[in-house]
Amino acid sequence: MIYLDYAATTPIDPDVAEVIRCTSLDVFGNPSSVHAAGRKARAVLEESRETIAQGIQAEASELIFTSGGTESDNLALCGTYAALTQKNRRQLIICSTEHHAVLESAAFLESLGVEVSRLRVDEYGVVKEEDLRAALRPETFLVSVMQANNEIGTIQDIRSLATIVHERGALFHTDAVQSYGKMEISVRDLGVDLLSMSAHKLYGPKSIGALFVRKGVPLKPILHGGGQEAGRRPGTESAPLAAGFALAADKAHRSRDADMQRITELRTRLASSLLKRFPSLIINGHPEHVLQTILNASFDEAEFELDGDALIMNLDLRGIAVTSGSACTSGSLIPSHVLAAIGRSVSTARATIRFSLGRMTTESEIDQTADIVEEIVCRMQKR
Ligand SMILES: Cc1ncc(COP(=O)(O)O)c(C=O)c1O
C-alpha cells in the first residue's frame, strides 16, 4: 500500500507503541490515587505534560490533556463561552474553513444564542485582517482561526491575527492539530491564549490530545465530574497514552527539520510530475504559506468530467490511500466547505484529491502514484 493520507492520521511510531505497552503494564495506577501505584502514574503523567509543554514553550500547568483535537476545540470554544457569558461577551468569530470540530462547536453555541461571525477567506484560503477588524466587537469573547488547514494546507499569520484580537480585548484560539509537529510552535511568540493539539497526527497514539490555556485565561469545564486536570477536564487521565504522546512530540521536535526538508522535496516532485501530465491541474492552497505535507489538487471541470469518489476508489483498488477532502467528512458526498470557500465549483471540488505525505513516504512511492493517477484518470475519461 502507498499511504498518502498522513493528514487524516499517521501510523504509530514503533518506539511510541512500545512505551505505551510498557507503561500500560507497569504504570496502571490511577494518577489521582494517593498510594504508591497512583503516585507512580502521576509522575509519568506530569513528566509527559512537562515534555509536551516545553515543546511549545508553555508551562506544564498551562496544558490540559484531552481525548484529542476535537475535544480540545470544543473545550476552547465552549469553555471560554461558559466562563465569559456572565460578562455579556456573546459574540464568537471563526474562520469559514475551520475543521468541523470548530464549525460544529460554533453551531452548537449559536443554538444557545451566541452570535457567530464566520470570516471568509481569499482564493488561497487566507483570512483578511481587515475582515477580522470589521467583525470584532466589544462583545466578542473569542476568535478561533486554525494555524494550518487540514484540506489545503494554507498557513495563517496567527501572530498578526492574535495581536489584532488582543487590541480589542478578546481571546484568541488556534487549532494547531495539523501544524503541530511540522512547524516550530511557540505559544509565547504566537501570542495565542488557547491552542489545540492531537497526538495521532504526529505518529503518536489516537484518543489523546491537549489544549494549551494561557495562565489567567478564564475557562470552565464542558464535561462534569471529578477535579482532574486542575478542575478543567474530569475523567481518569491515561499515563500510558500521555507517555506515548510525549515521546511522539519529542521525536517530532528532534526530527522536524530533516523530515520537513525531505517532505518538501517529495511534494515538489509530486506536484511537478502531476502538472507535467495534467497541465490544467489546479493546486489548491497558498503557493508559499502552505504545509508541505499536504498537496491538494483539483481536476478542472472545463477539461475533466471526473467523479472524485470513483477516482479515490480506483486509487484504493490500486493500493493508494488518499482522500477527497477532510477525512472526518469522507464518506459523505457533500463537497468540501474549504474548496467552496476558496471559490471552487461543486464539480471541480468533487474532482479533487488530497495527497498528504509523511515520514515514511519515499520517492518511488511518489513516482508510482503519479503514474497510477495518470492511468486511472485517462481510463475514467474514456468512458
Ligand atoms: C485541523 C483539525 N482539527 C481537529 C481535528 C480533530 O482531531 P482529532 O481527530 O484528534 O479529534 C483534525 C483531525 O482531522 C484536524 O485536522
Side-chain angles (χ1 to χ4, degrees):
M1 176 173 75
I2 298 179
Y3 186 76
L4 291 174
D5 206 11
Y6 287 82
T9 195
T10 54
I12 195 160
D13 180 306
D15 294 342
V16 171
E18 187 56 15
V19 158
I20 296 171
R21 193 186 72 85
C22 294
T23 318
S24 302
L25 294 170
D26 295 345
V27 191
F28 62 86
N30 185 325
S32 298
S33 299
V34 292
H35 49 60
R39 290 200 305 276
K40 196 167 163 189
R42 166 67 52 197
V44 169
L45 189 72
E46 295 313 324
E47 214 175 281
S48 308
R49 195 191 307 276
E50 183 69 49
T51 304
I52 298 163
Q54 271 176 13
I56 56 167
Q57 286 190 15
E59 285 179 28
S61 61
E62 294 175 311
L63 224 63
I64 302 174
F65 281 120
T66 64
S67 63
T70 300
E71 190 188 326
S72 296
D73 286 344
N74 272 262
L75 180 56
L77 271 66
C78 302
T80 52
Y81 168 68
L84 289 166
T85 183
Q86 303 295 340
K87 301 208 159 127
N88 264 340
R89 295 257 182 182
R90 298 185 66 82
Q91 190 215 9
L92 168 69
I93 301 175
I94 62 166
C95 173
S96 54
T97 54
E98 291 298 312
H99 187 270
H100 286 280
V102 167
L103 293 179
E104 296 304 318
S105 296
F108 168 70
L109 290 174
E110 203 166 33
S111 76
L112 300 183
V114 171
E115 192 192 322
V116 180
S117 304
R118 295 169 178 85
L119 300 174
R120 61 200 168 106
V121 292
D122 68 12
E123 71 209 276
Y124 301 122
V126 178
V127 170
K128 291 199 184 87
E129 290 184 5
E130 62 263 34
D131 288 346
L132 173 60
R133 283 203 176 86
L136 278 158
R137 296 217 311 267
E139 309 85 81
T140 311
F141 67 93
L142 183 76
V143 176
S144 180
V145 177
M146 70 204 312
Q147 188 168 27
N149 185 269
N150 50 302
E151 292 190 41
I152 58 172
T154 294
I155 297 168
Q156 307 283 353
D157 183 352
I158 295 302
R159 191 185 320 185
S160 303
L161 299 175
T163 305
I164 294 168
V165 169
H166 289 153
E167 279 165 8
R168 303 286 288 272
L171 295 171
F172 189 88
H173 165 249
T174 192
D175 173 337
V177 168
Q178 287 292 335
S179 49
Y180 180 56
K182 295 160 200 146
M183 292 169 67
E184 188 172 352
I185 295 179
S186 158
V187 288
R188 304 291 167 224
D189 288 351
L190 289 176
V192 294
D193 300 297
L194 304 112
L195 181 140
S196 301
M197 293 166 270
S198 181
H200 75 97
K201 308 285 184 182
L202 72 156
Y203 313 92
K206 285 152 181 75
S207 289
I208 185 162
L211 178 68
F212 158 77
V213 185
R214 189 177 52 74
K215 203 176 278 174
V217 166
L219 186 90
K220 280 201 176 162
I222 56 169
L223 299 174
H224 306 286
Q228 291 94 341
E229 298 298 292
R232 295 177 297 183
R233 199 275 185 177
T236 303
E237 297 104 332
S238 168
L241 290 184
F245 183 4
L247 180 61
D250 193 45
K251 286 189 94 168
H253 194 66
R254 287 173 203 277
S255 66
R256 192 183 53 232
D257 291 350
D259 279 352
M260 290 311 287
Q261 195 183 334
R262 212 180 58 80
I263 289 170
T264 301
E265 282 161 17
L266 292 174
R267 182 185 187 270
T268 307
R269 189 180 179 99
L270 180 59
S272 55
S273 183
L274 290 172
L275 282 166
K276 219 178 280 163
R277 294 154 204 258
F278 307 105
S280 65
L281 195 74
I282 305 161
I283 305 294
N284 298 303
H286 196 280
E288 288 160 46
H289 304 299
V290 66
L291 212 53
Q292 293 296 319
T293 47
I294 294 178
L295 181 72
N296 186 304
S298 299
F299 290 91
D300 190 355
E301 62 180 325
E303 205 180 318
F304 296 92
E305 223 178 274
L306 279 178
D307 171 353
D309 288 294
L311 179 58
I312 304 293
M313 259 160 54
N314 278 306
L315 286 168
D316 184 33
L317 288 173
R318 295 293 302 275
I320 300 180
V322 289
T323 189
S324 56
S326 174
C328 305
T329 50
S330 64
S332 85
L333 283 173
I334 302 159
S336 143
H337 65 286
V338 177
L339 295 171
I342 61 169
R344 301 285 170 257
S345 68
V346 171
S347 27
T348 300
R350 284 239 169 106
T352 296
I353 311 179
R354 179 189 69 180
F355 302 92
S356 50
L357 287 56
R359 221 179 256 171
M360 290 79 168
T361 310
T362 63
E363 229 172 68
S364 135
E365 287 182 335
I366 292 296
D367 295 346
Q368 283 180 62
T369 300
D371 286 345
I372 295 171
V373 169
E374 180 178 26
E375 189 194 309
I376 291 174
V377 170
C378 292
R379 199 177 66 216
M380 286 174 75
Q381 282 297 99
K382 282 195 193 120
R383 278 198 202 130

